Each structure stands twice: as C-alpha cells, then as structure tokens.
Amino acid sequence: MSTVPTFPPADTRPSVFGPTLAITGSITAEEDLEVHGTLRGHLAAPNHCVRLESDAHVDAEVLARDVTVLGAASGRFTATEIVDIRSTARVQGQIAAPRLVLEEGAIVNAK
C-alpha cells in the first residue's frame, strides 16, 4: 500500500519566497509568507504572519500581524500582535510590537 502525501489546503499554507530570490523593492502580501531569500526594501502583510527563515538575508521595513525571525535581519520590524526572535536570529534595527519573545542565543541590537 503506497501512501500519498497530504498537504494542508492551499489557503492555510504560506507563500514561499525561495532562497534563490533576491528582491529590492516593495512586497505586499495578503497571505502568510516565509522568506528564505534576500530582501531589501519594504514588506507589508498587515493581517498575516511573516517568517524570516534562517537562510534569509533581510534589510527592510517589515509590517505584519506576526513577525518571526530565525536568520539575519536588519531594519524596522513592526507587528500588530507579536515579534518572535528565535535563538538563530541576528537582528539589528527597530522593533515595535505589543508582545516580544526573545529566545536565548539570539543576537539583537535594536530599539
């Protein structure tokens, strides 16, 4: 008996910004987004989650409901609910959110 992988419905999976992508400019998303590539500029997903993965390189203004940082990121990070900085993150810049989670091991130089 073979097993067929099942995936969550498309509307519950995040869009993926792949590791080979490099964008300079502005991105607006109306869905959750995983960033693995290089982003310089602006990223707005005000009603959604943005996850900056460990292989991402981000120098941007990021606005989202939830921002999770696992990689290298600099700029301004604004969340309407929470900014979650994981142990593998290196963050420099400004952070604004009603809740901030900072995991032990993260390197943060921010206001």
Side-chain angles (χ1 to χ4, degrees), residues 14-15 29 31-35 43-53 61-70 76-86 95-101:
S15 289
E31 57 194 310
D32 294 347
L33 181 64
E34 279 184 19
V35 177
L43 169 57
N47 298 312
H48 299 280
C49 301
V50 170
R51 186 174 165 100
L52 307 176
E53 296 291 343
E61 290 185 29
V62 177
L63 168 65
R65 183 187 71 220
D66 304 340
V67 177
T68 301
V69 184
L70 292 99
R76 179 179 297 158
F77 306 95
T78 304
T80 57
E81 290 188 15
I82 187 170
V83 171
D84 184 359
I85 301 174
R86 302 290 175 88
I95 299 169
R99 292 182 15 212
L100 173 65
V101 174

Side-chain angles (χ1 to χ4, degrees), residues 1-78:
M1 175 190 225
S2 68
T3 59
V4 176
T6 58
F7 297 100
D11 61 345
T12 62
R13 291 185 303 221
S15 289
V16 177
F17 179 119
T20 62
L21 292 176
I23 294 179
T24 299
S26 296
I27 297 173
T28 302
E30 292 299 327
E31 57 194 310
D32 294 347
L33 181 64
E34 279 184 19
V35 177
H36 293 268
T38 301
L39 171 63
R40 290 183 178 82
H42 303 273
L43 169 57
N47 298 312
H48 299 280
C49 301
V50 170
R51 186 174 165 100
L52 307 176
E53 296 291 343
S54 60
D55 55 347
H57 300 281
V58 176
D59 183 10
E61 290 185 29
V62 177
L63 168 65
R65 183 187 71 220
D66 304 340
V67 177
T68 301
V69 184
L70 292 99
S74 63
R76 179 179 297 158
F77 306 95
T78 304

